[in-house]
Amino acid sequence: MTPRRGLAVLFTADVLSAVGSRISMVAIPWLVLVTTGSAARMGVVAAVEMIPYIVASIMAGPVIDNLGARRTSVLANLASAVAVAAIAATTGLGFAALLVLVAIAGGLRGAADRAKDLLVRPMAEAAEVELIRITSLHEAFARGATLLAAPLAGLLIYWTDAASVLWIDAVTFLVCGLLVAGFVNPPAVPASAVREKYFRSLRVGFAFVRGDALLATMLITTFTLNVFSSASTAVFIPLWVKDQLGTAAGLGLTLGAFSAGALLGSIGFAVLATRLPRYLTFAVGAVVGGSPRLLVLGLSDDLLLVMAVTFLSGIGMAAINPVFGAALYEHVPKDLQARVIGVVAATSFAGLPLGALLAGELVSWFGLIPSLVLSGIVCLLVSVFPLVRRGPGRVLDAPTTAVEAR
């Protein structure tokens, strides 16, 4: 198989895995609701899946270095298929057993995702495809998968039941593992003569991120955007719709406006990625994508205005992940990528549960409108930081030189 076809298979496997993961994010909480009748337990099971995912994203780095990204990806995806199938097959064992299986599945998914991330650079280089093109296309398909998977999960649950949908999810992980095993063959990389101890290896990854001005700036920005994006989706927008509109239709329209903008922006960025200045695009996208959607909720009760601003914010957010992903692949030395990408992914994802918790506390202390305005101001101050700190941008727009100089 040619390198380009191998890259296409990897891309297909990654999108298939993303669809399956998002289906499980709907099916597992629904399974909890219909078996226990408890909304609180729905929240617990969602957290129990996400926390091991975040931890595994960090802890898997040295393991990937030792086993190799391809082997880790195959093993983790096959094990994920077994874990999800076990959830589907043992729905009668009780809530405690379900939590254990969900935690295992979340951790395995974190390891599998990080391993697939590490396969992108060697496969893209072998296929002679620019990494910014790959990361932008991946973002467009990931946005599409997000839009597709949630309603698809709902329809599948309606037609069958939550346990049956989880069997389908298990099959997606199985197919993903088999595709990588059979068709993804990255160029051989010489093994390192030095084997670092596990925790020392982790510390090296943390130290690199902390000491690199470019990555630290982009990570702080991305983490902050994730915090306030989660706060908006989980708390702020539902409360605003309830208080200002009194109808759930506004919730779907507002969330749909952001998703539509993000999808359109992802497609547009995939077309224009190689022609745009990367750091400036990242910085402008951060300013447009974060604060405006919060401030418009705090300063207006006009649904059409809120939808318009939210749509534009979605467009702005579309460039964040592709640019950051390309920076990680091109700027980080190859022997550190497993550890650095794990640290970055885990830190970024940690903003999601934190955002929902923070928003709930802010509203309980200050009320909705002051919380929205305060959050919008804080988000603006952080997201403007990359614009005023332009020095690291020169490194991002010359990634090959930066890596070779290390």
Side-chain angles (χ1 to χ4, degrees):
M1 177 173 284
T2 65
R4 283 182 178 263
R5 289 181 180 176
L7 180 60
V9 170
L10 174 62
F11 204 79
T12 301
D14 196 27
V15 172
L16 179 63
S17 175
V19 170
S21 297
R22 284 162 177 79
I23 287 176
S24 71
M25 289 179 184
V26 175
I28 292 177
W30 186 263
L31 177 66
V32 172
L33 182 63
V34 298
T35 55
T36 70
S38 171
R41 288 189 171 188
M42 289 177 67
V44 170
V45 80
V48 166
E49 181 180 16
M50 180 55 70
I51 292 171
Y53 181 92
I54 293 172
V55 173
S57 293
I58 298 175
M59 305 301 287
V63 176
I64 295 172
D65 282 338
N66 289 330
L67 288 181
R70 178 173 176 270
R71 183 181 300 174
T72 304
S73 176
V74 172
L75 292 176
N77 274 289
L78 295 180
S80 294
V82 173
V84 174
I87 296 172
T90 59
T91 56
L93 289 183
F95 187 63
L98 176 64
L99 290 181
V100 172
L101 291 172
V102 167
I104 293 171
L108 289 169
R109 186 162 60 86
D113 286 353
R114 299 294 76 76
K116 287 196 293 292
D117 289 343
L118 268 295
L119 289 170
V120 170
R121 178 174 180 172
M123 294 299 295
E125 289 175 345
E128 299 180 345
V129 178
E130 290 180 89
L131 284 164
I132 189 64
R133 180 74 70 191
I134 293 299
T135 56
S136 59
L137 285 171
H138 178 272
E139 181 70 7
F141 277 94
R143 295 286 183 184
T146 301
L147 289 175
L148 170 68
L152 176 62
L155 287 173
L156 289 173
I157 291 171
Y158 175 75
W159 290 330
T160 57
D161 54 53
S164 298
V165 173
L166 288 174
W167 282 110
I168 296 172
D169 187 25
V171 171
T172 65
F173 283 113
L174 175 63
V175 173
C176 181
L178 293 177
L179 285 174
V180 174
F183 303 103
V184 178
N185 295 294
V189 178
S192 173
V194 179
R195 294 272 182 160
E196 294 180 308
K197 292 183 178 180
Y198 181 85
F199 288 104
R200 174 176 171 77
S201 179
L202 285 178
R203 286 197 299 271
V204 170
F206 278 101
F208 185 90
V209 175
R210 186 174 61 249
D212 189 280
L214 172 64
L215 295 186
T217 299
M218 298 180 81
L219 181 56
I220 291 169
T221 305
T222 305
F223 171 80
T224 302
L225 291 173
N226 279 344
V227 167
F228 289 108
S229 178
S230 176
S232 296
T233 303
V235 177
F236 289 150
I237 292 176
L239 287 179
W240 183 87
V241 169
K242 178 178 177 294
D243 291 349
Q244 302 294 336
L245 306 178
T247 171
L251 179 61
L253 290 171
T254 305
L255 295 176
F258 182 81
S259 297
L263 179 58
L264 178 63
S266 297
I267 295 171
F269 186 74
V271 175
L272 301 173
T274 57
R275 307 175 205 171
L276 296 174
R278 297 187 192 181
Y279 189 80
L280 181 60
T281 301
F282 176 91
V284 172
V287 173
V288 174
S291 178
R293 64 189 296 215
L294 295 165
L295 292 175
V296 74
L297 290 171
L299 301 175
S300 174
D301 59 359
D302 186 336
L303 177 60
L304 290 179
L305 177 61
V306 167
M307 288 177 60
V309 173
T310 303
F311 177 79
L312 293 175
S313 291
I315 293 177
M317 286 288 283
I320 300 298
N321 288 339
V323 174
F324 199 3
L328 287 169
Y329 290 130
E330 297 175 338
H331 181 64
V332 179
K334 290 183 179 181
D335 61 331
L336 292 180
Q337 283 195 353
R339 288 162 279 178
V340 170
I341 289 177
V343 169
V344 167
T347 304
S348 296
F349 281 123
L352 298 176
L354 178 61
L357 293 172
L358 178 62
E361 290 298 318
L362 283 174
V363 171
S364 66
W365 278 92
F366 303 109
L368 177 60
I369 299 304
S371 297
L372 283 166
V373 174
L374 176 62
S375 298
I377 293 172
V378 172
C379 186
L380 179 63
L381 292 175
V382 176
S383 58
V384 164
F385 182 61
L387 275 177
V388 299
R389 193 184 190 194
R390 295 293 299 275
R394 291 192 293 270
V395 178
L396 180 59
D397 288 320
T400 302
T401 302
V403 172
E404 290 176 350
R406 292 183 181 275

